[in-house]
Amino acid sequence: MAKYIVHQSGPLKGEVVVSGAKNAVLPLMAATLLTEEDCIIRDVPQLRDVVFMKEILASMGSAVKELDENTISVETKDIITTEARYDLVNKMRASILIMGPLLARKGRARIPLPGGCAIGARPIDLHLKGFEALGADIIFNEAESYVEARAGGQGLIGDSIYLDMPSVGATENIMMAAVLAEGTTYIENAAKEPEIIDLANLLNKMGAKIKGAGTDTIKIEGVQRLGGAKHTVIPDRIEAGTFMLAAAITKGNVTINNVVPEHLKPIIAKLRECGVRVAATDDTVTVRGDLGPQNSTDLMTLPHPGFPTDIQSPFMAFLSLVNGTSTVKETVFENRFMHVSQLRKMGANIETAGNKAVIKGVANLRGTQVMATDLRAGAALVLAGLVAEGTTEISEIYHIERGYEKFIEKFAGLGATIEKIED
Ligand code: UD1
């Protein structure tokens, strides 16, 4: 198993370019199943999760071509099976996103229960509730670990669906199911993440009639068919946030290019509260961690536009070194403090009770052997490793490679030394 060896680095300096967003590209790729025509997606990051999604599409009958390093075309003349393979789906929770398109186009979708990061129970009840509201029958076989949705004879029929919580995946899946349904669908209490808007934009280019993406209520008027489209993936706000925190924690000066500052508002606000200078232009942010003291703050994760849960662990790595006592409350996932025990091994002073963590800033962290328990926990440990005395050995780094493109190279460009070794 490969490991990262992270060396203590001085303040990071320079510029870095953010890749296309992992959480946008996965639903975009799933959406290509909705048409038999060619779709071209640009700024596709080279990530393990993207490779998994390509394999899933290919197994459904899609012809997936790499037009250049970051551009793919997907053409699905016919869907050859509506049953997804366990070995592919098990690797990634986002594979559930093929269900909506399969159901819309073929009236049927059967998938094994999905895998992915072990951050809480992560049920799919809201996805299924949405399909059911559109008239599908749901067969949820826990013993054999699969779930199947079947549209009735007339296909899917538009309806109003209220989500008990604004689930990102459920909003995307229901939107993709509803685009080809008969009549109009309203998704109430919909997720408002930028990735939802990106998906709606692609679907509308394909011929869908979606309004209100990015607000609480999304209206989808069903159409008969969708066609091909060309689309560029939005920049990855979580990758951008990770580099912003790298600049802050190393007391560096880094300009992050290819960002939408609007998407980064909660991260910018919290960094500023801590005494970090952040300046934004239309498509860059410059983070100065080298100006003055860094102080504690209190934060709570929330659905967008609140503070993103995916930046909670990298932010906690930063807070473990600031002056004073900070608190972090995780409200989106119930089991997202797995990085805490690893940061503690490095000398951080963090106590947790339920979904709350209290972080007392310490002067130094120490390099040691730690484990990336999930994708963003892994990013947090890389950040901690950049400033810890000595070297930090991070195992289970395949989690990190699921979501960060050219991670080591990008850090090297800012002056950090991270080696990847095969154990
Ligand atoms: C997406 C992101 C993930 C991010 C998360 C929250 C992708 C590929 N992944 O995950 O990086 O951390 O949004 O911003 O885009 N829930 C239910 N029932 C459901 C679905 C979800 O109870 O049917 C709960 C989940 O357990 C969780 C909360 O809703 O507590 C939010 O999950 P959701 O927004 O669905 O996250 P994902 O789409 O899985």
Side-chain angles (χ1 to χ4, degrees), residues 45-326:
Q46 292 199 347
L47 303 171
R48 283 170 63 107
D49 274 10
V50 168
V51 173
F52 293 149
M53 190 54 102
K54 281 183 192 165
E55 289 175 14
I56 291 170
L57 294 180
S59 75
M60 303 270 101
S62 309
V64 186
K65 289 189 199 134
E66 281 168 31
L67 304 187
D68 65 40
E69 203 187 342
N70 294 111
T71 307
I72 61 168
S73 73
V74 186
E75 188 182 38
T76 315
K77 284 208 180 328
D78 196 17
I79 291 175
I80 55 174
T81 174
T82 52
E83 294 185 16
R85 265 172 39 205
Y86 175 81
D87 62 318
L88 295 177
V89 170
N90 187 44
K91 289 177 185 161
M92 178 176 71
R93 178 179 161 86
S95 48
I96 184 81
L97 294 170
I98 63 170
M99 240 186 139
L102 288 180
L103 188 59
R105 189 160 155 197
K106 300 297 277 186
R108 232 184 131 134
R110 174 166 160 169
I111 74 152
L113 295 173
C117 285
I119 48 171
R122 303 186 92 175
I124 56 168
D125 55 313
L126 297 173
H127 302 239
L128 302 178
K129 190 176 148 185
F131 299 149
E132 214 162 18
L134 297 174
D137 288 326
I138 306 295
I139 299 135
F140 191 62
N141 190 329
E142 221 157 331
E144 289 180 43
S145 210
Y146 73 80
V147 59
E148 181 163 347
R150 278 188 217 158
Q154 298 168 295
L156 299 176
I157 315 274
D159 202 343
S160 281
I161 296 147
Y162 175 83
L163 297 181
D164 300 330
M165 73 171 79
S167 156
V168 174
T171 303
E172 292 166 342
N173 232 343
I174 298 166
M175 204 157 73
M176 290 189 282
V179 282
L180 293 176
E182 181 77 37
T184 304
T185 300
Y186 292 88
I187 308 176
E188 314 267 10
N189 196 29
K192 295 182 281 201
E193 270 67 4
E195 293 76 19
I196 304 282
I197 303 175
D198 206 32
L199 175 61
N201 286 343
L202 170 68
L203 292 169
N204 283 340
K205 285 183 202 170
M206 292 166 74
K209 289 189 178 167
I210 303 173
K211 285 191 181 144
T215 74
D216 291 316
T217 304
I218 303 179
K219 179 184 176 190
I220 305 138
E221 279 178 65
V223 296
Q224 293 283 319
R225 64 176 295 278
L226 297 180
K230 291 181 183 161
H231 189 78
T232 302
V233 184
I234 55 168
D236 195 313
R237 62 197 168 97
I238 306 302
E239 186 196 358
T242 304
F243 282 108
M244 291 167 77
L245 284 158
I249 200 171
T250 64
K251 299 188 164 57
N253 178 355
V254 175
T255 294
I256 300 146
N257 297 311
N258 188 35
V259 299
V260 181
E262 175 81 16
H263 296 171
L264 301 170
K265 269 185 174 172
I267 306 171
I268 293 173
K270 281 293 155 190
L271 278 173
R272 284 182 177 154
E273 264 180 44
C274 295
V276 177
R277 182 89 60 87
V278 185
T281 68
D282 281 355
D283 58 358
T284 71
V285 285
T286 298
V287 179
R288 302 283 307 264
D290 55 342
L291 304 171
Q294 298 181 337
N295 301 315
S296 59
T297 191
D298 301 312
L299 71 84
M300 172 158 76
T301 66
L302 283 171
H304 192 78
F307 190 90
T309 174
D310 287 349
I311 287 291
Q312 182 256 107
S313 48
F315 212 100
M316 198 185 289
F318 165 66
L319 292 178
S320 67
L321 285 160
V322 303
N323 302 318
T325 300
S326 305

